[in-house]
Amino acid sequence: MKAAVLHNENDLRIEEVNKPQHGPDQVLIEVAWAGICGSDLAVYQYGLGENIHPLTGRKAPLTLGHEFAGTIVATGENVDHFQVGDHVTVEPLIFCGTCLACNSGYYNQCQMVGFIGLNTDGGFAQYVVVDASKLHKLPDNVSLEEGALVEPTAVSFYAVRESKLKTGDTAIIYGAGPIGLLTLICVKAAGAAKIIVVDISEERLQKAQQLGATMVLRGDQDDLIPTILTATNGGADVVYDCAGAQQTINNALYTTKLGAQIMIIATFKKPIEIDVNLVMFKALHITSTLAYRNVFPTVIDLIAAGQLDVKPVITHKIAIDDLVEEGFEKLLHDKSQAKILVTPTSNH
Ligand SMILES: [Zn+2]
Ligand SMILES: [Zn+2]
C-alpha cells in the first residue's frame, strides 16, 4: 500500500509499504481523508529526533498523519463496539494510563504522551491500524472530510471550553491559521459577541471574516493596539494566542482588559519574555492547554448538529502522490492556505 513515510528532515517519501496487520484489540481502517497539521510541518522541517518513544518503541522512519477519518475494513476478535463499514475518526493521543497525570484524568498531559502519526504509523496511508479504544464513530450526517477535522477542532474546542469566555464577551484571536480559524468557530459557538482576528495574511483574514469574525486586523499595522483598545472599550475579556510568537504575546498583554485571560494554544519555537509587571497591574490570567481530553464525542455531536461548521477551513484537497509538493511545501510557502486534506485512495 501507499504511505507517506518521514525518513529524515525534509525527506518525506511516498512509498510502497506492507499493509499493517491488526491485533485482537485493534481495527484496520481504510483512510478516506487526512489533514496536514502544523506539527507535521515542524517534523518535516526539523525531523522527529533520535529518541525511541517509550510507549510505541518507534522513531523515524514512520508514516505521518494524526488527523484522519476512514472506514473500518477489519476488526480484531476482542472488538465489540465497532463493525466493518463503520465510519470513524481517531483520537490520536498515546498515553501510559498509569502516571499521575493519566490517573487524574489528564491523559493529554501524560509523562510519555505521544501521537499516532508522530510516534507510530499514522493516517497518511491507504490503511492504518488503530486500537479500538481510540476510535470515535461518525454519524451518517458527518462526512469523512469533516471527520478528518475533528482532531484539530478538538484542540480549539478544548481551549475555548477551558477558557473563561462567557456569552457576550469580547475575544481576540491572534493567528488565523487552521487552529485560529477553528478557535474562531468555537468562540462564536460559545456566544462571544465581538470577535477580533489578527493575522498578517490578507487571505486568512478574509476567511476569518467569512467565518464570522466581527473585525479583522493586520498584525503588522502600526495602530493595531489603539485600534483594538478603541473597538473593545479597553481590551478583550479573553485573548487566544494561535500564533506562538513574542510579538503576539506582547500584543495580547496590551489588548486585554483588567482581569482578562490569555489562553495560549500555539506552541512556541523558543522561550519568550513576558512583562510580568503588566500582568500584575492588569491582574491578568495567563494559561494554556495541550491537545484535548474527553471532547471528541461532543465535537462530533456539534458538527453533526450544524453548530460547528468546520468545513470552510478546508482550502485544498489533494492526492497522496502530491503530498509533498501540493501539501507540505504549499503550506510552508503559501500563507493563504488553511487546512489541506489528503486522500490516499483514488475513488474520492
Ligand atoms: Zn495536529
Ligand atoms: Zn500517563
Side-chain angles (χ1 to χ4, degrees), residues 35-40 66-67 92 115 118 151-152 155 179 292 339:
I36 306 173
C37 172
S39 56
D40 295 319
H66 59 268
E67 307 175 355
F115 278 84
L118 290 169
E151 197 272 350
V155 172
I179 291 295
Y292 36 72
K339 186 57 74 184

Side-chain angles (χ1 to χ4, degrees), residues 2 4 37 90 100 108 150 207 233 283 302 311 318 322 337 344:
K2 243 176 218 176
C37 172
V90 171
L100 193 60
N108 57 323
V150 171
K207 192 66 139 177
N233 266 329
L302 290 170
K311 251 185 158 167
I318 60 172
D322 303 322
Q337 294 295 330

Side-chain angles (χ1 to χ4, degrees), residues 168 170-172 194 196 215 225-237 254-258 260 282:
T170 295
I172 302 173
K194 244 182 225 170
I196 300 173
M215 186 179 207
I225 289 166
T227 304
I228 291 177
L229 292 178
T230 304
T232 57
N233 266 329
D237 298 287
Y254 286 109
T255 53
T256 38
K257 71 175 199 188
L258 193 70
K282 290 174 81 175

Side-chain angles (χ1 to χ4, degrees), residues 259-303:
Q261 185 182 51
I262 298 173
M263 168 59 84
I264 297 170
I265 309 177
T267 53
F268 288 72
K269 284 199 184 78
K270 54 183 184 196
I272 56 158
E273 280 180 24
I274 288 180
D275 183 348
V276 176
N277 289 342
L278 198 55
V279 176
M280 192 185 275
F281 283 109
K282 290 174 81 175
L284 299 178
H285 302 254
I286 301 179
T287 189
S288 182
T289 52
L290 170 66
Y292 36 72
R293 58 188 186 106
N294 305 324
V295 299
F296 267 54
T298 311
V299 168
I300 293 168
D301 284 349
L302 290 170
I303 293 173

Side-chain angles (χ1 to χ4, degrees), residues 46-192:
Y46 306 110
L48 280 163
E50 277 309 302
N51 292 338
I52 290 175
H53 192 270
L55 295 174
T56 65
R58 295 286 306 276
K59 61 172 190 163
L62 54 80
T63 302
L64 297 182
H66 59 268
E67 307 175 355
F68 57 94
T71 307
I72 295 179
V73 291
T75 60
E77 60 200 53
N78 298 336
V79 177
D80 301 325
H81 300 296
F82 296 93
Q83 288 166 358
V84 169
D86 283 350
H87 285 186
V88 289
T89 190
V90 171
E91 185 167 349
L93 284 182
I94 296 165
F95 49 93
C96 76
T98 56
C99 71
L100 193 60
C102 284
N103 275 329
S104 317
Y106 284 82
Y107 60 88
N108 57 323
Q109 319 281 158
C110 174
Q111 289 168 5
M112 295 191 268
V113 72
F115 278 84
I116 294 171
L118 290 169
N119 305 107
T120 188
D121 291 326
F124 292 149
Q126 283 174 305
Y127 297 95
V128 60
V129 161
V130 175
D131 291 352
S133 61
K134 301 193 189 299
L135 299 176
H136 296 274
K137 206 169 159 176
L138 299 174
D140 290 341
N141 62 341
V142 174
S143 68
L144 287 164
E145 288 173 44
E146 289 169 315
L149 293 172
V150 171
E151 197 272 350
T153 306
V155 172
S156 295
F157 181 82
Y158 183 61
V160 172
R161 196 149 90 158
E162 291 288 301
S163 74
K164 288 171 39 158
L165 188 82
K166 293 193 176 59
T167 315
D169 273 359
T170 295
I172 302 173
I173 298 165
Y174 286 101
I179 291 295
L181 295 172
L182 290 165
T183 300
L184 161 61
I185 291 167
C186 292
V187 160
K188 201 176 154 211

